[in-house]
Short mmCIF file of all heavy atoms in Angstrom, two decimals:
data_model
loop_
_atom_site.label_atom_id
_atom_site.label_comp_id
_atom_site.label_asym_id
_atom_site.label_seq_id
_atom_site.Cartn_x
_atom_site.Cartn_y
_atom_site.Cartn_z
N VAL B 14 15.46 18.48 -38.44
CA VAL B 14 14.15 17.85 -38.78
C VAL B 14 13.73 17.01 -37.57
O VAL B 14 12.60 17.10 -37.11
CB VAL B 14 14.19 16.97 -39.97
CG1 VAL B 14 12.82 16.36 -40.34
CG2 VAL B 14 14.68 17.82 -41.23
N GLY B 15 14.61 16.14 -37.12
CA GLY B 15 14.34 15.28 -35.94
C GLY B 15 13.87 16.15 -34.72
O GLY B 15 12.91 15.82 -34.21
N LEU B 18 10.34 17.32 -35.46
CA LEU B 18 9.36 16.26 -35.37
C LEU B 18 9.06 15.89 -33.89
O LEU B 18 7.95 15.70 -33.43
CB LEU B 18 9.85 14.96 -36.07
CG LEU B 18 9.63 14.93 -37.56
CD1 LEU B 18 10.23 13.65 -38.08
CD2 LEU B 18 8.14 14.99 -37.85
N GLN B 24 4.31 18.22 -28.35
CA GLN B 24 3.24 19.27 -28.26
C GLN B 24 1.97 18.71 -28.63
O GLN B 24 0.92 18.94 -28.06
CB GLN B 24 3.59 20.44 -29.17
CG GLN B 24 2.71 21.65 -28.89
CD GLN B 24 3.41 22.89 -29.43
OE1 GLN B 24 4.44 22.85 -30.11
NE2 GLN B 24 2.76 23.99 -29.18
N LEU B 34 -9.77 16.00 -22.57
CA LEU B 34 -10.35 16.54 -21.32
C LEU B 34 -11.40 17.59 -21.60
O LEU B 34 -12.51 17.55 -20.93
CB LEU B 34 -9.19 17.03 -20.44
CG LEU B 34 -8.79 16.13 -19.38
CD1 LEU B 34 -9.88 16.05 -18.34
CD2 LEU B 34 -8.54 14.77 -19.91
N LEU B 41 -19.92 16.29 -19.99
CA LEU B 41 -20.47 16.33 -18.66
C LEU B 41 -21.41 17.52 -18.58
O LEU B 41 -22.51 17.44 -17.98
CB LEU B 41 -19.41 16.38 -17.61
CG LEU B 41 -18.71 15.14 -17.23
CD1 LEU B 41 -17.72 15.26 -16.15
CD2 LEU B 41 -19.69 14.04 -16.76
N THR B 60 -34.24 17.47 -1.67
CA THR B 60 -35.31 18.25 -2.40
C THR B 60 -34.71 19.06 -3.55
O THR B 60 -35.45 19.39 -4.43
CB THR B 60 -36.00 19.18 -1.47
OG1 THR B 60 -35.01 19.94 -0.71
CG2 THR B 60 -36.90 18.43 -0.55
N THR B 73 -17.30 12.26 -0.07
CA THR B 73 -16.15 12.06 -0.98
C THR B 73 -14.87 12.57 -0.23
O THR B 73 -13.85 11.89 -0.16
CB THR B 73 -16.31 12.91 -2.31
OG1 THR B 73 -17.56 12.49 -2.86
CG2 THR B 73 -15.20 12.58 -3.25
N ILE B 83 -4.54 7.49 6.63
CA ILE B 83 -4.02 6.15 6.87
C ILE B 83 -2.90 5.80 5.91
O ILE B 83 -1.82 5.27 6.26
CB ILE B 83 -5.14 5.12 6.79
CG1 ILE B 83 -6.20 5.41 7.83
CG2 ILE B 83 -4.60 3.67 6.92
CD1 ILE B 83 -7.45 4.54 7.60
N VAL B 91 6.91 2.53 3.71
CA VAL B 91 7.29 1.38 2.83
C VAL B 91 8.27 1.79 1.77
O VAL B 91 9.21 1.08 1.44
CB VAL B 91 5.98 0.73 2.23
CG1 VAL B 91 6.39 -0.30 1.28
CG2 VAL B 91 5.09 0.17 3.32
N ALA B 92 8.04 2.94 1.15
CA ALA B 92 8.90 3.46 0.07
C ALA B 92 10.30 3.61 0.64
O ALA B 92 11.31 3.20 0.01
CB ALA B 92 8.36 4.76 -0.53
N ILE B 107 10.59 -7.05 -2.81
CA ILE B 107 9.58 -6.44 -1.95
C ILE B 107 8.70 -5.36 -2.71
O ILE B 107 7.52 -5.35 -2.61
CB ILE B 107 10.26 -5.73 -0.83
CG1 ILE B 107 10.85 -6.75 0.20
CG2 ILE B 107 9.32 -4.82 -0.01
CD1 ILE B 107 11.67 -6.21 1.25
N LYS B 135 -15.13 -5.20 13.42
CA LYS B 135 -16.29 -5.11 14.40
C LYS B 135 -15.76 -5.00 15.87
O LYS B 135 -16.20 -4.09 16.51
CB LYS B 135 -17.24 -6.33 14.18
CG LYS B 135 -18.24 -6.01 13.12
CD LYS B 135 -19.52 -6.79 13.04
CE LYS B 135 -19.34 -8.27 13.19
NZ LYS B 135 -20.58 -9.04 12.77
N VAL B 157 -23.37 -3.08 13.21
CA VAL B 157 -23.33 -4.56 13.46
C VAL B 157 -22.76 -5.32 12.31
O VAL B 157 -22.44 -6.47 12.43
CB VAL B 157 -24.68 -5.18 13.82
CG1 VAL B 157 -25.23 -4.50 15.07
CG2 VAL B 157 -25.68 -5.01 12.68
N ALA B 186 14.66 6.85 -4.80
CA ALA B 186 15.82 6.15 -5.36
C ALA B 186 16.66 7.11 -6.27
O ALA B 186 17.78 6.82 -6.54
CB ALA B 186 15.40 4.96 -6.17
N LEU B 199 29.41 13.68 7.26
CA LEU B 199 29.34 14.60 8.33
C LEU B 199 28.83 14.04 9.61
O LEU B 199 28.64 14.76 10.61
CB LEU B 199 28.47 15.79 7.94
CG LEU B 199 29.04 16.74 6.90
CD1 LEU B 199 28.02 17.82 6.49
CD2 LEU B 199 30.28 17.35 7.32
N THR B 202 23.02 10.45 11.19
CA THR B 202 22.46 9.13 11.33
C THR B 202 21.65 8.88 9.98
O THR B 202 21.44 9.79 9.20
CB THR B 202 21.56 8.97 12.50
OG1 THR B 202 20.49 9.91 12.37
CG2 THR B 202 22.26 9.18 13.79
N LEU B 219 6.86 13.63 -4.00
CA LEU B 219 5.96 13.05 -2.96
C LEU B 219 4.59 13.57 -3.09
O LEU B 219 3.60 12.84 -3.00
CB LEU B 219 6.52 13.32 -1.53
CG LEU B 219 7.68 12.48 -1.07
CD1 LEU B 219 8.01 12.81 0.34
CD2 LEU B 219 7.39 11.03 -1.21
N GLY B 232 -11.85 8.92 -7.19
CA GLY B 232 -12.61 8.39 -8.32
C GLY B 232 -13.01 6.96 -8.17
O GLY B 232 -13.70 6.44 -9.02
N THR B 259 -19.85 8.47 -1.53
CA THR B 259 -18.97 9.31 -2.31
C THR B 259 -19.64 9.57 -3.69
O THR B 259 -20.50 8.79 -4.06
CB THR B 259 -17.61 8.72 -2.53
OG1 THR B 259 -17.68 7.61 -3.49
CG2 THR B 259 -16.99 8.28 -1.20
N ALA B 281 -24.42 15.55 -13.41
CA ALA B 281 -24.07 16.81 -12.76
C ALA B 281 -23.24 16.66 -11.48
O ALA B 281 -22.36 17.51 -11.30
CB ALA B 281 -25.40 17.64 -12.45
N ARG B 298 -0.83 22.19 -5.09
CA ARG B 298 0.17 22.84 -5.92
C ARG B 298 0.56 24.13 -5.19
O ARG B 298 1.74 24.51 -5.21
CB ARG B 298 -0.33 23.19 -7.31
CG ARG B 298 -0.64 21.92 -8.10
CD ARG B 298 0.16 21.97 -9.42
NE ARG B 298 0.14 20.61 -10.00
CZ ARG B 298 1.13 20.07 -10.63
NH1 ARG B 298 2.29 20.75 -10.79
NH2 ARG B 298 1.03 18.96 -11.12
N VAL B 301 2.85 23.39 -2.29
CA VAL B 301 4.21 23.00 -2.88
C VAL B 301 4.98 24.21 -3.28
O VAL B 301 6.10 24.44 -2.93
CB VAL B 301 4.10 21.94 -3.98
CG1 VAL B 301 5.47 21.56 -4.43
CG2 VAL B 301 3.35 20.78 -3.51
#
Side-chain angles (χ1 to χ4, degrees):
Chain B
V14 182
L18 276 180
Q24 192 161 5
L34 259 289
L41 283 179
T60 50
T73 308
I83 300 173
V91 174
I107 289 174
K135 279 199 310 196
V157 299
L199 291 174
T202 60
L219 282 185
T259 70
R298 293 238 166 214
V301 180

